[in-house]
Amino acid sequence: MDIAPFGVEDWLNVHEKSATYDIAQSTIASMTLDELVALGAPRGLAADAAEAAFPQDARAGAAQMGFFARLGAEKMNYGWIEGSPAFKRAAAALYGRVEPEAVLQTNGATGANLLAVLALVSRGDHVIAEYPSYQQLYDIPRALGAEVDLWRIYEDRGWYPDLGELERLVRPDTRLICLNNANNPTGTFLDRAFMEQVADIARSVGAFVLVDEVYLPLVGTEDFASIADIYERGVATNSLSKTYSVPGARIGWTASSPQIAEMLRPYRDYTMICCGVVNDALAVHVLEHRDAVLARNRPLVMGNLAIAQAWIDDEPRVSWVAPQGVSTSCIKLDIPEDDEAFCLRLLEDEGVLLVPGSRFDLPGHARLGYCAPEPVLRAGLAGLGRALRRFD
């Protein structure tokens, strides 16, 4: 199988550890393990043992003891192969129509996307993929020998694609339509009404629809709908890595109908056994305290969005279509230099890391991870501003 290099991952693998100010990532500032296990610590739980062990914060200490005590009782065997019943219930609860049995645990959303494409696409199939978006969604089908048509997004339309173009691209033999909602790197999400029309078009030819939904919008959420809830042949993929601030857990999942889940299972057996007992327990903990995670992240996202917007308003060489409460964004650079060369110099001179837009087939742009910790964002934007002054 011949597959193209993974542009964004290749860039980050080489450069992310050398950055002083990493404003390239698309995760909402990652939580520490202490923060995670302290989620949802009930009031009045500060037992004497917790008080003694963690006098600085008895509630958090009690929560830590409770989490690690539960984990300490677990055998370090393979655990639940598809994810524990508690995990399946917690993930299924994120949807309106998904049954726990139709949730399959994977190694992140990248593992979920790979699993779905392997199961649904064969050589010679016709696939339509939103473009640009996450590279897996078009280059894995290509590598499998599918004929891939690109369904383009447009900056002057708020990074939305055109439904008329999808209607022209779809064919009686279209097997799969792939989308990234919200989009990486632009941060635009396609609302419920739009996605229902996508489902109608797919339904007209019996195509499956795979949607990477790893970026949940934290504002306007009432306008967002998972493909698993609006289309019987829809497959949603997700993970703890972005909206839930726990990429280190390496837990993702597919959510679909029981019939589609049965199609995915054989391929899952060939690509992984399990995600591990520790990771599963952490995933259950995060999802069971989802509201607390989002309460922590929502003001961070909106506060950093305001900081980035104010900086862009004062920066004549940068513009953007503002992300819609999503942790990734795409800035447009008005500079007389190749975006990758500029990003390399920015890293060398200022210690600031962006992802060049060319890594997403968006030359002249860059991915800005504005949901970094606020001090990192402010310092990174200051360094970016200094680098841009070179062109004045």
Side-chain angles (χ1 to χ4, degrees):
M1 184 171 85
D2 186 22
I3 194 165
F6 202 151
V8 62
E9 297 304 328
D10 180 59
W11 174 266
L12 292 174
N13 289 345
V14 173
H15 299 297
E16 65 182 336
K17 294 304 182 184
S18 60
T20 304
Y21 306 107
D22 185 349
I23 53 174
Q25 307 295 336
S26 58
T27 292
I28 302 174
S30 298
M31 286 192 280
T32 66
L33 187 57
D34 282 347
E35 288 179 287
L36 286 167
V37 298
L39 289 172
R43 297 190 182 280
L45 189 62
D48 291 343
E51 185 96 35
F54 302 94
Q56 74 282 7
D57 187 343
R59 280 185 66 215
Q64 289 173 351
M65 290 182 68
F67 177 81
F68 287 113
R70 290 193 301 273
L71 189 57
E74 296 284 348
K75 290 185 177 180
M76 291 294 107
N77 54 21
Y78 285 106
W80 295 89
I81 299 304
E82 292 185 0
S84 66
F87 171 80
K88 285 173 169 276
R89 288 193 300 269
L94 303 176
Y95 307 89
R97 300 180 180 178
V98 175
E99 301 172 22
E101 69 179 77
V103 171
L104 301 179
Q105 193 177 83
T106 63
N107 179 241
T110 53
N113 290 333
L114 175 63
L115 172 62
V117 175
L118 285 176
L120 298 177
V121 175
S122 300
R123 178 172 298 276
D125 282 343
H126 181 238
V127 174
I128 299 170
E130 180 190 16
Y131 176 86
S133 67
Y134 198 50
Q135 189 175 340
Q136 276 193 310
L137 300 177
Y138 42 91
D139 272 339
I140 294 178
R142 280 174 174 162
L144 293 174
E147 178 187 354
V148 178
D149 280 326
L150 301 176
W151 184 29
R152 296 182 180 273
I153 61 175
Y154 296 96
E155 191 168 14
D156 60 0
R157 298 182 184 179
W159 292 120
Y160 259 62
D162 182 87
L163 284 166
E165 290 186 10
L166 180 60
E167 290 176 328
R168 290 189 290 274
L169 289 171
V170 78
R171 305 186 328 209
D173 64 340
T174 299
R175 176 68 172 174
L176 178 65
I177 300 172
C178 298
L179 300 95
N180 191 192
N181 194 26
N183 180 273
N184 180 13
T186 70
T188 292
F189 80 86
L190 308 175
D191 63 26
R192 174 187 288 271
F194 189 96
M195 289 303 299
E196 286 176 344
Q197 292 180 80
V198 171
D200 286 342
I201 294 169
R203 189 177 289 114
S204 71
V205 295
F208 294 94
V209 178
L210 167 63
V211 184
D212 180 334
E213 297 175 353
V214 74
Y215 299 99
L216 176 72
L218 295 186
V219 295
T221 308
E222 64 279 1
D223 292 328
F224 178 86
S226 172
I227 193 64
D229 285 334
I230 63 177
Y231 184 41
E232 62 277 6
R233 293 172 74 85
V235 182
T237 60
N238 207 332
S239 82
L240 301 180
S241 297
K242 308 300 182 181
T243 302
Y244 299 104
S245 300
V246 195
R250 301 314 308 136
I251 293 286
W253 61 90
T254 61
S256 61
S257 69
Q259 295 77 19
I260 294 176
E262 197 61 31
M263 296 172 65
L264 304 185
R265 282 188 172 95
Y267 294 86
R268 188 184 181 282
D269 290 340
Y270 276 98
T271 56
M272 66 180 303
I273 299 299
C274 64
C275 288
V277 172
V278 175
N279 289 1
D280 183 278
L282 186 56
V284 171
H285 185 75
V286 171
L287 291 176
E288 287 182 343
H289 295 93
R290 174 178 180 270
D291 290 344
V293 175
L294 298 183
R296 177 254 192 191
N297 285 352
R298 192 169 287 109
L300 191 158
V301 170
M302 301 317 296
N304 280 17
L305 180 61
I307 292 168
Q309 185 65 68
W311 181 85
I312 289 171
D313 289 343
D314 289 337
E315 176 48 67
R317 292 191 176 275
V318 175
S319 59
W320 71 354
V321 176
Q324 298 170 278
V326 172
S327 61
T328 186
S329 67
C330 183
I331 57 175
K332 188 173 185 177
L333 302 171
D334 181 14
I335 56 175
E337 184 176 25
D338 170 80
D339 58 274
E340 187 151 330
F342 172 74
C343 287
L344 284 170
R345 186 171 54 78
L346 174 67
L347 179 60
E348 182 177 350
D349 294 350
E350 300 288 345
V352 176
L353 184 66
L354 296 173
V355 178
S358 296
R359 295 293 173 133
F360 291 94
D361 294 332
L362 282 171
H365 295 73
R367 187 173 79 177
L368 170 66
Y370 74 96
C371 290
E374 182 181 329
V376 174
L377 175 64
R378 289 187 181 276
L381 292 176
L384 176 55
R386 288 191 294 270
L388 292 169
R389 298 285 70 77
R390 175 175 178 264
F391 302 110
D392 292 346

